[in-house]
Amino acid sequence: MATLRTFGSATAHRARRLGSPVVPFLTNRWTRVALVAVIGLAAGYLGLIFGGRYVTPVGPTDVQLSLQPSLNGGTTLKLPPLGSLRLDTHEGPVTLEARLTDLRPDQAKKLIEDDTEIDRLTDRIADQIRHGVIELLVRAVLIALAASFLASLALFRSWRRALLGLSSAAAGLAALTLLTWTTFNPQSIAEPRYTGLLANAPQIVGDARSIVERFSAYRAQLARLVGNVSELYTTTSTLPTYEPDPSTIRVLDVSDIHLNPAAWNVIKSVSTQFKVDLVIDSGDLMDHGSKAEDKFADSISDLKVPYVYVRGNHDSKETQRAVARQKNAIVLDGGTREVKGLRIYGVGDPRFTPDKSTRDDFVGADQLRAEGLRHANELRASGTTPDLVVTHDPSEGEAFSGVTPLVLAGHTHTRSTKILPTGTRLFVQGSTGGAGLRGLEHEQPTPIELSVLYFSRATHRLQGWD
């Protein structure tokens, strides 16, 4: 027993001797104060980020405001799927992000129908944004202070130290406010940095200074656009109840969506109302065929029916792969597939002309027709007679005359149909996306067009269309 006591005493002595450099450090008053302050600041910062979220109405839209961690501060405006623009409004460890989340068609339509509403829009939007930012900041500050207090209380089990953690978070917020105030740059609105598709915004609408100078013209254009979209929503939502003929195959023919997100709502509504069996898209889903646009194709999977697609001259091979990744998509590029009983042959456009800088833009109708003849001859040699052929350009589609009873095409942004000399019908679809931004280039906006085609289940021949 004496030996054990001696051993325990020696062990305790060695433990105290080995721990002696650490204990004064941990028990030092200023060290504990600093530790509490660090915990309070860290918890306050996390509370600021996670609590800084608020959705506010801005005119006919809903905008989600949030605070995000950052090394350089600033403000980011996100407009999915077009991209974003960044303003160097301030410096600091927090950036303000505003994301457009929803458009309310009813309010947008009311705004267009009442001219006096447009005049009051600017002041109302300013008040709404101001209210949203205040709500965001109040909520974020309260959650940041609560987080710092609770974290300090949980770790140190002391009301006094919890108040110290709260005080350090309050001091940090005050310092952040001072930094934002002293570095605020009101001129940043004139020098935005664009990303995604908005990188082309200066070429489309001019720089920010010219936008300010020509705001009335832009506002009038935007008003017409929102009005057209709102009217379209109203029309499609009030379509009569349709009972499909069981002897028909119903195909929704679309084309030239050109990155217009409103087109998906129209396609979904018409698909539901007419109980279509499949959708056929004759190309130009995108505008520039860039990787940033690929996410736009994700809406295809929401349609719940087969989506047959051929590449247009504004669609890249990457666009084609993005479509192919959708579980209900069927990409045709020189091949035939049977879909819902119809044998469909499709070929992608041989050109890629997102703008006037590519050499493919100089490919003429004769060259397209020759390319179509090459594919038509290969199709004849295979011994396959498809029920319909899908191309993007009608010039290429005409080359399939006599090979199939029906050719679907797009590209012209104007719907038309004609019977070719061999009896083949060429059906050219208009722009289901209203030609995207191009729809604003004319005095009258490009109409949004799509058609429901009715095929006989027995003969697979086109019977009519709406």
Side-chain angles (χ1 to χ4, degrees):
M1 184 66 68
T3 304
L4 288 176
R5 281 198 299 268
T6 304
F7 176 77
S9 177
T11 302
H13 177 72
R14 284 196 300 270
R16 286 193 299 270
R17 183 167 51 84
L18 290 172
S20 58
V22 179
V23 172
F25 175 78
L26 292 176
T27 56
N28 183 277
R29 179 173 175 239
W30 294 110
T31 301
R32 292 199 307 273
V33 170
L35 184 59
V36 173
V38 169
I39 295 297
L41 284 171
Y45 182 73
L46 292 175
L48 189 72
I49 298 301
F50 288 107
R53 299 180 188 279
Y54 184 75
V55 177
T56 183
V58 178
T61 68
D62 284 339
V63 176
Q64 177 180 287
L65 302 174
S66 62
L67 299 178
Q68 302 291 336
S70 171
L71 296 177
N72 302 310
T75 299
T76 301
L77 307 179
K78 292 194 173 183
L79 306 171
L82 300 179
S84 63
L85 61 92
R86 178 176 171 79
L87 308 174
D88 293 327
T89 53
H90 65 278
E91 295 180 5
V94 174
T95 185
L96 174 63
E97 180 182 290
R99 176 187 290 268
L100 182 65
T101 58
D102 191 26
L103 171 67
R104 295 182 295 280
D106 291 341
Q107 293 186 19
K109 183 179 179 181
K110 181 180 178 182
L111 176 68
I112 304 309
E113 292 177 345
D114 188 352
D115 293 336
T116 60
E117 283 291 312
I118 296 180
D119 296 330
R120 293 194 293 265
L121 179 63
T122 303
D123 292 336
R124 188 164 69 247
I125 285 179
D127 291 339
Q128 289 173 329
I129 293 176
R130 186 182 302 109
H131 175 265
V133 171
I134 291 174
E135 288 282 346
L136 170 77
L137 295 178
V138 169
R139 178 176 300 190
V141 167
L142 290 178
I143 293 178
L145 293 175
S148 64
F149 179 81
L150 294 176
S152 300
L153 182 63
L155 287 174
F156 299 105
R157 308 286 182 178
S158 168
W159 291 103
R160 187 165 56 86
R161 290 176 183 174
L163 290 174
L164 178 59
L166 174 66
S167 301
S168 64
L173 291 172
L176 178 60
T177 302
L178 182 61
L179 177 62
T180 302
W181 180 265
T182 56
T183 60
F184 179 68
N185 177 21
Q187 300 301 319
S188 61
I189 189 65
E191 300 173 347
R193 296 199 302 276
Y194 301 92
T195 62
L197 297 181
L198 291 179
N200 296 301
Q203 287 75 30
I204 295 172
V205 298
D207 60 28
R209 293 183 179 88
S210 69
I211 290 177
V212 174
E213 295 169 0
R214 299 160 58 195
F215 176 75
S216 297
Y218 291 133
R219 185 175 64 175
Q221 276 192 327
L222 180 60
R224 287 196 297 271
L225 177 62
V226 173
N228 289 337
V229 172
S230 300
E231 185 65 28
L232 186 60
Y233 273 97
T234 303
T235 300
T236 55
S237 64
T238 57
L239 288 173
T241 302
Y242 171 78
E243 291 299 330
D245 184 344
S247 67
T248 63
I249 302 171
R250 294 162 302 283
V251 175
L252 183 60
D253 179 29
V254 304
S255 186
D256 296 85
I257 293 175
H258 283 292
L259 207 70
N260 186 346
W264 294 126
N265 296 282
V266 180
I267 292 171
K268 288 177 187 176
S269 181
V270 174
S271 297
T272 302
Q273 291 282 350
F274 286 86
K275 298 179 172 61
V276 302
D277 296 294
L278 68 149
V279 178
I280 296 179
D281 182 350
S282 52
D284 275 1
L285 179 65
M286 307 302 186
D287 229 5
H288 294 84
S290 65
K291 187 172 181 59
E293 296 170 299
D294 288 353
K295 190 172 178 58
F296 184 72
D298 291 349
S299 294
I300 291 173
S301 61
D302 297 333
L303 298 177
K304 310 305 180 187
V305 294
Y307 191 95
V308 180
Y309 163 86
V310 300
R311 189 179 65 252
N313 61 297
H314 282 261
D315 301 329
S316 63
K317 290 294 184 67
E318 179 60 37
T319 298
Q320 182 169 297
R321 287 189 287 270
V323 173
R325 286 193 290 269
Q326 309 309 311
K327 60 181 180 294
N328 59 324
I330 300 165
V331 175
L332 297 177
D333 193 8
T336 303
R337 287 280 298 274
E338 182 172 323
V339 185
K340 294 294 182 176
L342 293 176
R343 294 186 304 275
I344 307 172
Y345 174 88
V347 59
D349 198 283
R351 304 162 297 175
F352 178 49
T353 58
D355 52 46
K356 299 298 182 181
S357 65
T358 61
R359 57 184 176 84
D360 288 345
D361 200 59
F362 301 103
V363 176
D366 291 340
Q367 293 168 281
L368 284 172
R369 196 171 291 110
E371 181 70 11
L373 282 171
R374 182 177 69 82
H375 288 290
N377 290 332
E378 292 175 354
L379 189 56
R380 282 193 187 93
S382 70
T384 301
T385 302
D387 298 315
L388 66 150
V389 167
V390 187
T391 69
H392 177 64
D393 196 298
S395 298
E396 185 177 14
E398 289 182 7
F400 290 89
S401 179
V403 179
T404 180
L406 176 65
V407 175
L408 299 182
H411 185 65
T412 64
H413 300 169
T414 302
R415 183 164 49 200
S416 64
T417 182
K418 66 178 180 179
I419 302 296
L420 301 176
T422 62
T424 294
R425 177 180 292 277
L426 175 64
F427 193 102
V428 182
Q429 188 56 266
S431 173
T432 310
L437 286 173
R438 293 165 187 78
L440 294 176
E441 294 176 352
H442 313 291
E443 188 66 28
Q444 295 296 323
T446 302
I448 292 179
E449 295 180 309
L450 67 171
S451 303
V452 179
L453 311 179
Y454 302 94
F455 292 82
S456 167
R457 288 190 183 274
T459 65
H460 297 169
R461 292 299 183 94
L462 181 67
Q463 303 296 299
W465 60 86
D466 284 324

